[in-house]
C-alpha cells in the first residue's frame, strides 16, 4: 500500500453476522434497502430501512457481485453447484431465475450497469470484462487486457474486481496488482484503451461521490480509503471502526443517508488480523458528500 493520509469519519455498526460469514457485495435500492451477498452461503440478505435482516434469496452455489436493474430486480453473479460461472436474476419477491451460463468465464465478480439493458461483469481470473445483455440473456467479452489480469495463473488474489462508471470512463480495480484501471467508454459503448489511474493501493470494491472522489475497501488491509481525483489517498476508516476484511461498499439513497456509505466485511477471513477473525459486519460511514447515482 502507498503511504496515505488519515482522516477518520464517524462510523456506526448497523448489522452483525456470525463469525466466518463472508459478506461480499452490496447494493442499495431506491427505498434505502440494503441487499448483501454472503459468498459461501449463496445467499442475498436484505436489510430494511428499520434495520430488520432477512434472507431475500438463496442459490445453490456461491454468490459474488450484485447490480440493480431499472425495474427493481437484482442481477447476481457467481457459480452454480457445478462450479459453472452463471448470472441469476432475482425478482422483487426473491424468486431466483437462472439468466445465463458463462462456461468460458472463470471467476465472475463485480457487476455494474453500462446502460439500461447491458451490464459489465469482472472476470477476476480470466482478466476480462464481460458484457451481459439482459433481454437476450447473452454475454460476450467487452474487454480482455493484461491490465485486468493477474501477474501469473498461480496467483490466488483476484485481479479485475470492482467496476464503476464515472464521467464516461469505466474504473476497474485490479486487486492482485494493487492498481486501478481507467477505461474510456467510446460513443458506441465499446471499450477504449485502458490506462493505469493509480498504483500501489489495494482496492476490492468501490463507489464514487458526486465530486469524483472514489471510496474503496482494502479487504486484507482492514480499511476504507478515499481517493481524490488527483490521486491523493486518505484512510477514512480502520480496524477500530469495524473494517476487518472490508469487502464492498455502497452509498445510501434516502435523503438522510445520501452522504453515507455502507461497508460490508468478512471479519478478516482472508487474512485474519492479529486480534483474530471477527464477525461479519455492515458499518455505516458518514463521508459528508452525496454518492453518485448509478446508471
Amino acid at each position: 500500500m502507498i503511504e496515505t493520509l488519515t482522516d477518520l469519519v464517524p462510523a456506526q455498526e448497523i448489522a452483525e453476522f456470525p463469525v466466518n460469514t463472508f459478506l461480499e457485495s452490496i447494493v442499495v435500492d431506491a427505498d434505502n434497502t440494503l441487499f448483501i451477498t454472503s459468498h459461501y452461503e449463496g445467499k442475498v440478505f436484505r436489510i430494511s430501512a428499520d434495520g430488520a435482516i432477512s434472507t431475500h434469496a438463496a442459490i445453490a452455489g456461491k454468490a459474488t457481485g450484485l447490480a440493480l436493474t431499472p425495474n427493481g430486480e437484482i442481477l447476481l453473479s457467481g457459480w452454480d453447484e457445478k462450479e459453472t460461472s452463471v448470472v441469476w436474476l432475482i425478482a422483487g419477491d426473491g424468486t431466483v431465475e437462472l439468466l445465463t451460463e458463462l462456461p468460458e468465464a472463470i471467476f465472475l465478480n463485480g457487476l455494474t450497469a453500462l446502460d439500461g439493458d447491458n451490464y459489465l461483469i469482472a472476470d477476476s481470473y480470466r482478466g476480462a470484462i464481460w458484457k451481459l445483455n439482459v433481454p437476450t440473456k447473452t454475454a460476450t467479452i467487452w474487454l480482455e487486457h493484461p491490465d485486468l489480469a493477474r501477474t501469473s495463473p498461480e496467483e490466488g488474489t483476484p485481479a479485475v474486481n470492482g467496476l464503476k462508471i464515472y464521467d464516461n470512463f469505466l474504473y476497474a480495480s485490479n486487486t492482485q496488482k494493487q492498481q486501478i484501471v481507467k477505461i474510456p467508454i467510446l460513443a458506441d459503448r465499446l471499450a477504449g484503451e485502458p490506462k493505469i489511474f493509480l498504483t500501489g493501493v489495494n482496492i476490492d470494491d468501490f463507489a464514487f461521490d458526486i465530486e469524483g472522489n472514489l471510496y474503496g475497501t482494502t479487504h486484507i488491509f482492514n480499511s476504507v480509503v478515499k481517493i481524490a481525483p488527483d490521486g491523493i489517498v486518505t484512510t477514512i476508516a480502520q480496524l477500530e471502526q469495524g473494517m476487518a476484511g472490508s469487502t464492498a461498499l455502497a452509498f445510501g439513497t434516502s435523503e438522510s443517508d445520501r452522504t453515507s456509505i455502507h461497508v460490508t466485511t468478512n471479519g478478516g477471513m482472508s487474512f485474519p488480523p492479529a486480534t483474530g477473525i471477527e464477525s461479519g459486519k455492515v458499518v455505516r460511514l458518514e463521508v459528508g458528500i452525496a454518492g453518485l447515482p448509478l446508471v
Side-chain angles (χ1 to χ4, degrees):
M1 289 279 285
I2 61 176
E3 186 174 344
T4 63
L5 306 172
T6 301
D7 185 12
L8 302 180
V9 302
Q12 175 192 8
E13 183 180 311
I14 60 173
E16 186 175 13
F17 294 81
V19 172
N20 291 323
T21 302
F22 197 117
L23 302 181
E24 166 68 10
S25 294
I26 179 171
V27 291
V28 186
D29 74 5
D31 296 327
N32 218 51
T33 301
L34 314 184
F35 295 93
I36 297 161
T37 54
S38 178
H39 178 59
Y40 291 113
E41 293 180 285
K43 290 182 178 179
V44 177
F45 293 117
R46 180 182 189 273
I47 304 177
S48 59
D50 63 4
I53 302 172
S54 60
T55 298
H56 181 64
I59 52 93
K62 294 185 177 71
T64 49
L66 291 173
L68 291 165
T69 70
N71 61 359
E73 296 175 319
I74 298 174
L75 294 168
L76 168 64
S77 62
W79 301 272
D80 64 15
E81 68 276 19
K82 297 175 289 186
E83 298 192 350
T84 300
S85 295
V86 297
V87 179
W88 293 272
L89 184 66
I90 304 173
D93 64 358
T95 303
V96 179
E97 170 194 348
L98 176 63
L99 189 69
T100 188
E101 296 182 342
L102 287 78
E104 296 178 1
I106 306 175
F107 182 170
L108 295 183
N109 208 328
L111 263 167
T112 200
L114 179 62
D115 54 42
D117 289 336
N118 295 292
Y119 292 77
L120 300 176
I121 314 174
D123 191 335
S124 295
Y125 280 180
R126 179 160 174 168
I129 298 169
W130 295 83
K131 184 178 79 170
L132 169 72
N133 182 274
V134 175
T136 62
K137 303 181 180 182
T138 57
T140 54
I141 291 287
W142 188 73
L143 179 66
E144 193 162 9
H145 193 276
D147 287 346
L148 306 175
R150 296 171 287 174
T151 51
S152 78
E154 290 72 43
E155 283 288 348
T157 303
V160 61
N161 197 334
L163 303 175
K164 293 294 186 303
I165 292 172
Y166 180 78
D167 196 24
N168 224 33
F169 286 88
L170 177 72
Y171 289 76
S173 59
N174 184 324
T175 309
Q176 193 266 314
K177 291 182 178 177
Q178 296 195 359
Q179 293 176 335
I180 298 175
V181 183
K182 185 178 179 181
I183 305 160
I185 300 173
L186 306 181
D188 52 10
R189 312 305 279 172
L190 296 178
E193 184 63 24
K195 292 184 178 179
I196 304 301
F197 168 65
L198 192 67
T199 191
V201 59
N202 193 88
I203 298 295
D204 187 333
D205 184 40
F206 57 94
F208 284 97
D209 67 23
I210 58 174
E211 297 180 1
N213 299 295
L214 182 156
Y215 301 82
T217 53
T218 65
H219 200 153
I220 63 171
F221 291 95
N222 309 313
S223 64
V224 170
V225 296
K226 175 183 178 180
I227 302 172
D230 61 5
I232 293 177
V233 181
T234 303
T235 298
I236 64 169
Q238 300 172 319
L239 188 64
E240 293 75 20
Q241 285 77 44
M243 297 296 105
S246 55
T247 52
L249 55 78
F251 273 89
T253 57
S254 68
E255 215 38 58
S256 61
D257 215 25
R258 290 189 64 220
T259 60
S260 62
I261 52 177
H262 303 85
V263 183
T264 57
T265 79
N266 66 14
M269 288 173 63
S270 306
F271 191 82
T275 49
I277 297 176
E278 300 180 10
S279 55
K281 295 184 177 73
V282 182
V283 180
R284 180 182 184 272
L285 302 178
E286 177 54 56
V287 299
I289 306 173
L292 181 75
L294 299 178
V295 175

